[in-house]
PDB file of all heavy atoms in Angstrom:
ATOM      1  N   SER A  59     -10.124   5.061   4.540  1.00  0.00           N
ATOM      2  CA  SER A  59      -9.308   3.952   4.027  1.00  0.00           C
ATOM      3  C   SER A  59      -8.329   4.486   2.973  1.00  0.00           C
ATOM      4  O   SER A  59      -8.502   5.620   2.499  1.00  0.00           O
ATOM      5  CB  SER A  59     -10.204   2.870   3.390  1.00  0.00           C
ATOM      6  OG  SER A  59     -10.781   3.371   2.178  1.00  0.00           O
ATOM      7  N   GLY A  60      -7.381   3.644   2.566  1.00  0.00           N
ATOM      8  CA  GLY A  60      -6.510   4.008   1.453  1.00  0.00           C
ATOM      9  C   GLY A  60      -7.324   4.186   0.177  1.00  0.00           C
ATOM     10  O   GLY A  60      -7.123   5.081  -0.610  1.00  0.00           O
ATOM     11  N   THR A  61      -8.295   3.311   0.007  1.00  0.00           N
ATOM     12  CA  THR A  61      -9.125   3.322  -1.194  1.00  0.00           C
ATOM     13  C   THR A  61      -9.892   4.643  -1.284  1.00  0.00           C
ATOM     14  O   THR A  61      -9.961   5.268  -2.346  1.00  0.00           O
ATOM     15  CB  THR A  61     -10.124   2.147  -1.195  1.00  0.00           C
ATOM     16  OG1 THR A  61      -9.429   0.919  -1.017  1.00  0.00           O
ATOM     17  CG2 THR A  61     -10.959   2.081  -2.461  1.00  0.00           C
ATOM     18  N   LEU A  64      -7.549   7.439  -2.328  1.00  0.00           N
ATOM     19  CA  LEU A  64      -7.235   7.371  -3.771  1.00  0.00           C
ATOM     20  C   LEU A  64      -8.418   7.868  -4.583  1.00  0.00           C
ATOM     21  O   LEU A  64      -8.261   8.625  -5.570  1.00  0.00           O
ATOM     22  CB  LEU A  64      -6.898   5.942  -4.179  1.00  0.00           C
ATOM     23  CG  LEU A  64      -5.541   5.426  -3.723  1.00  0.00           C
ATOM     24  CD1 LEU A  64      -5.451   3.889  -3.835  1.00  0.00           C
ATOM     25  CD2 LEU A  64      -4.383   6.081  -4.452  1.00  0.00           C
ATOM     26  N   SER A  85      -0.587  -4.786  -8.590  1.00  0.00           N
ATOM     27  CA  SER A  85      -0.934  -4.009  -7.447  1.00  0.00           C
ATOM     28  C   SER A  85      -2.203  -4.538  -6.815  1.00  0.00           C
ATOM     29  O   SER A  85      -2.789  -5.499  -7.348  1.00  0.00           O
ATOM     30  CB  SER A  85      -1.136  -2.520  -7.838  1.00  0.00           C
ATOM     31  OG  SER A  85      -1.409  -1.718  -6.714  1.00  0.00           O
ATOM     32  N   PHE A  86      -2.648  -3.859  -5.781  1.00  0.00           N
ATOM     33  CA  PHE A  86      -3.930  -4.163  -5.185  1.00  0.00           C
ATOM     34  C   PHE A  86      -4.992  -3.455  -6.021  1.00  0.00           C
ATOM     35  O   PHE A  86      -4.742  -2.355  -6.531  1.00  0.00           O
ATOM     36  CB  PHE A  86      -3.966  -3.681  -3.730  1.00  0.00           C
ATOM     37  CG  PHE A  86      -5.211  -4.031  -3.010  1.00  0.00           C
ATOM     38  CD1 PHE A  86      -5.563  -5.312  -2.740  1.00  0.00           C
ATOM     39  CD2 PHE A  86      -6.120  -3.032  -2.617  1.00  0.00           C
ATOM     40  CE1 PHE A  86      -6.724  -5.651  -2.070  1.00  0.00           C
ATOM     41  CE2 PHE A  86      -7.294  -3.297  -1.988  1.00  0.00           C
ATOM     42  CZ  PHE A  86      -7.601  -4.635  -1.714  1.00  0.00           C
ATOM     43  N   ALA A  88      -7.422  -1.562  -5.678  1.00  0.00           N
ATOM     44  CA  ALA A  88      -7.848  -0.175  -5.400  1.00  0.00           C
ATOM     45  C   ALA A  88      -7.079   0.855  -6.260  1.00  0.00           C
ATOM     46  O   ALA A  88      -7.649   1.916  -6.563  1.00  0.00           O
ATOM     47  CB  ALA A  88      -7.649   0.186  -3.909  1.00  0.00           C
ATOM     48  N   SER A  89      -5.862   0.538  -6.667  1.00  0.00           N
ATOM     49  CA  SER A  89      -5.133   1.541  -7.442  1.00  0.00           C
ATOM     50  C   SER A  89      -5.719   1.732  -8.817  1.00  0.00           C
ATOM     51  O   SER A  89      -5.521   2.765  -9.460  1.00  0.00           O
ATOM     52  CB  SER A  89      -3.598   1.232  -7.490  1.00  0.00           C
ATOM     53  OG  SER A  89      -3.362  -0.143  -7.717  1.00  0.00           O
ATOM     54  N   VAL A 131       2.357   3.132  -8.151  1.00  0.00           N
ATOM     55  CA  VAL A 131       2.278   2.402  -6.910  1.00  0.00           C
ATOM     56  C   VAL A 131       3.697   2.049  -6.403  1.00  0.00           C
ATOM     57  O   VAL A 131       4.536   1.679  -7.213  1.00  0.00           O
ATOM     58  CB  VAL A 131       1.487   1.077  -7.119  1.00  0.00           C
ATOM     59  CG1 VAL A 131       1.239   0.391  -5.784  1.00  0.00           C
ATOM     60  CG2 VAL A 131       0.190   1.361  -7.808  1.00  0.00           C
ATOM     61  N   ILE A 133       5.068  -0.677  -4.859  1.00  0.00           N
ATOM     62  CA  ILE A 133       4.554  -1.943  -4.441  1.00  0.00           C
ATOM     63  C   ILE A 133       5.493  -2.627  -3.431  1.00  0.00           C
ATOM     64  O   ILE A 133       6.702  -2.530  -3.570  1.00  0.00           O
ATOM     65  CB  ILE A 133       4.306  -2.872  -5.691  1.00  0.00           C
ATOM     66  CG1 ILE A 133       3.244  -3.881  -5.370  1.00  0.00           C
ATOM     67  CG2 ILE A 133       5.562  -3.534  -6.206  1.00  0.00           C
ATOM     68  CD1 ILE A 133       1.863  -3.358  -5.084  1.00  0.00           C
ATOM     69  N   ASP A 157       0.229   6.042  -5.214  1.00  0.00           N
ATOM     70  CA  ASP A 157      -0.389   5.051  -4.287  1.00  0.00           C
ATOM     71  C   ASP A 157       0.744   4.543  -3.447  1.00  0.00           C
ATOM     72  O   ASP A 157       1.396   3.549  -3.767  1.00  0.00           O
ATOM     73  CB  ASP A 157      -1.075   3.981  -5.115  1.00  0.00           C
ATOM     74  CG  ASP A 157      -1.688   2.916  -4.173  1.00  0.00           C
ATOM     75  OD1 ASP A 157      -1.328   2.893  -2.973  1.00  0.00           O
ATOM     76  OD2 ASP A 157      -2.503   2.107  -4.647  1.00  0.00           O
ATOM     77  N   CYS A 159       0.272   3.412  -0.420  1.00  0.00           N
ATOM     78  CA  CYS A 159      -0.436   2.665   0.633  1.00  0.00           C
ATOM     79  C   CYS A 159       0.493   1.646   1.344  1.00  0.00           C
ATOM     80  O   CYS A 159       0.227   1.316   2.511  1.00  0.00           O
ATOM     81  CB  CYS A 159      -1.652   1.983   0.094  1.00  0.00           C
ATOM     82  SG  CYS A 159      -2.987   3.150  -0.256  1.00  0.00           S
ATOM     83  N   GLU A 160       1.472   1.139   0.639  1.00  0.00           N
ATOM     84  CA  GLU A 160       2.341   0.140   1.210  1.00  0.00           C
ATOM     85  C   GLU A 160       3.709   0.671   1.608  1.00  0.00           C
ATOM     86  O   GLU A 160       4.621  -0.056   1.928  1.00  0.00           O
ATOM     87  CB  GLU A 160       2.540  -1.025   0.198  1.00  0.00           C
ATOM     88  CG  GLU A 160       1.171  -1.640  -0.211  1.00  0.00           C
ATOM     89  CD  GLU A 160       1.340  -2.839  -1.119  1.00  0.00           C
ATOM     90  OE1 GLU A 160       2.465  -3.141  -1.571  1.00  0.00           O
ATOM     91  OE2 GLU A 160       0.301  -3.450  -1.423  1.00  0.00           O
ATOM     92  N   ALA A 181      -2.027   3.881   3.638  1.00  0.00           N
ATOM     93  CA  ALA A 181      -3.168   3.071   4.176  1.00  0.00           C
ATOM     94  C   ALA A 181      -2.784   2.355   5.442  1.00  0.00           C
ATOM     95  O   ALA A 181      -1.608   2.068   5.684  1.00  0.00           O
ATOM     96  CB  ALA A 181      -3.608   2.056   3.133  1.00  0.00           C
ATOM     97  N   PHE A 182      -3.800   2.134   6.291  1.00  0.00           N
ATOM     98  CA  PHE A 182      -3.555   1.654   7.657  1.00  0.00           C
ATOM     99  C   PHE A 182      -4.324   0.420   8.070  1.00  0.00           C
ATOM    100  O   PHE A 182      -4.627   0.224   9.226  1.00  0.00           O
ATOM    101  CB  PHE A 182      -3.833   2.812   8.670  1.00  0.00           C
ATOM    102  CG  PHE A 182      -3.130   4.090   8.333  1.00  0.00           C
ATOM    103  CD1 PHE A 182      -3.829   5.284   8.246  1.00  0.00           C
ATOM    104  CD2 PHE A 182      -1.744   4.138   8.102  1.00  0.00           C
ATOM    105  CE1 PHE A 182      -3.175   6.485   7.908  1.00  0.00           C
ATOM    106  CE2 PHE A 182      -1.083   5.304   7.775  1.00  0.00           C
ATOM    107  CZ  PHE A 182      -1.805   6.491   7.671  1.00  0.00           C
ATOM    108  N   TYR A 183      -4.646  -0.384   7.065  1.00  0.00           N
ATOM    109  CA  TYR A 183      -5.252  -1.721   7.397  1.00  0.00           C
ATOM    110  C   TYR A 183      -4.270  -2.425   8.313  1.00  0.00           C
ATOM    111  O   TYR A 183      -3.046  -2.207   8.228  1.00  0.00           O
ATOM    112  CB  TYR A 183      -5.487  -2.465   6.037  1.00  0.00           C
ATOM    113  CG  TYR A 183      -6.179  -3.799   6.199  1.00  0.00           C
ATOM    114  CD1 TYR A 183      -7.548  -3.835   6.491  1.00  0.00           C
ATOM    115  CD2 TYR A 183      -5.507  -4.958   6.070  1.00  0.00           C
ATOM    116  CE1 TYR A 183      -8.171  -5.053   6.673  1.00  0.00           C
ATOM    117  CE2 TYR A 183      -6.122  -6.197   6.188  1.00  0.00           C
ATOM    118  CZ  TYR A 183      -7.480  -6.235   6.549  1.00  0.00           C
ATOM    119  OH  TYR A 183      -8.118  -7.414   6.703  1.00  0.00           O
ATOM    120  N   LYS A 186      -0.567  -3.357   7.529  1.00  0.00           N
ATOM    121  CA  LYS A 186       0.375  -2.355   7.112  1.00  0.00           C
ATOM    122  C   LYS A 186       1.448  -2.058   8.187  1.00  0.00           C
ATOM    123  O   LYS A 186       1.295  -2.518   9.343  1.00  0.00           O
ATOM    124  CB  LYS A 186      -0.379  -1.062   6.752  1.00  0.00           C
ATOM    125  CG  LYS A 186      -1.382  -1.236   5.605  1.00  0.00           C
ATOM    126  CD  LYS A 186      -0.623  -1.468   4.307  1.00  0.00           C
ATOM    127  CE  LYS A 186      -1.509  -1.370   3.066  1.00  0.00           C
ATOM    128  NZ  LYS A 186      -2.570  -2.366   2.976  1.00  0.00           N
ATOM    129  N   GLY A 193      -8.343   2.657   7.781  1.00  0.00           N
ATOM    130  CA  GLY A 193      -8.008   4.076   7.706  1.00  0.00           C
ATOM    131  C   GLY A 193      -6.960   4.333   6.613  1.00  0.00           C
ATOM    132  O   GLY A 193      -6.345   3.456   6.091  1.00  0.00           O
TER     133      GLY A 193
HETATM  134  C1  PLP B   1      -1.219  -0.739  -3.133  1.00  0.00           C
HETATM  135  C2  PLP B   1      -2.435  -0.537  -2.340  1.00  0.00           C
HETATM  136  N1  PLP B   1      -3.350   0.374  -2.765  1.00  0.00           N
HETATM  137  C3  PLP B   1      -4.481   0.631  -2.094  1.00  0.00           C
HETATM  138  C4  PLP B   1      -4.819  -0.071  -0.959  1.00  0.00           C
HETATM  139  C5  PLP B   1      -6.144   0.204  -0.340  1.00  0.00           C
HETATM  140  O1  PLP B   1      -6.095   0.526   0.986  1.00  0.00           O
HETATM  141  P1  PLP B   1      -7.334   0.169   1.966  1.00  0.00           P
HETATM  142  O2  PLP B   1      -7.381  -1.293   2.120  1.00  0.00           O
HETATM  143  O3  PLP B   1      -7.053   0.933   3.200  1.00  0.00           O
HETATM  144  O4  PLP B   1      -8.560   0.686   1.285  1.00  0.00           O
HETATM  145  C6  PLP B   1      -3.907  -1.016  -0.449  1.00  0.00           C
HETATM  146  C7  PLP B   1      -4.157  -1.750   0.774  1.00  0.00           C
HETATM  147  O5  PLP B   1      -4.858  -2.696   0.949  1.00  0.00           O
HETATM  148  C8  PLP B   1      -2.726  -1.291  -1.183  1.00  0.00           C
HETATM  149  O6  PLP B   1      -1.876  -2.250  -0.780  1.00  0.00           O
END
Side-chain angles (χ1 to χ4, degrees):
S59 69
T61 305
L64 287 166
S85 181
F86 183 67
S89 43
V131 186
I133 207 65
D157 178 345
C159 286
E160 302 184 355
F182 308 127
Y183 185 73
K186 297 292 192 296

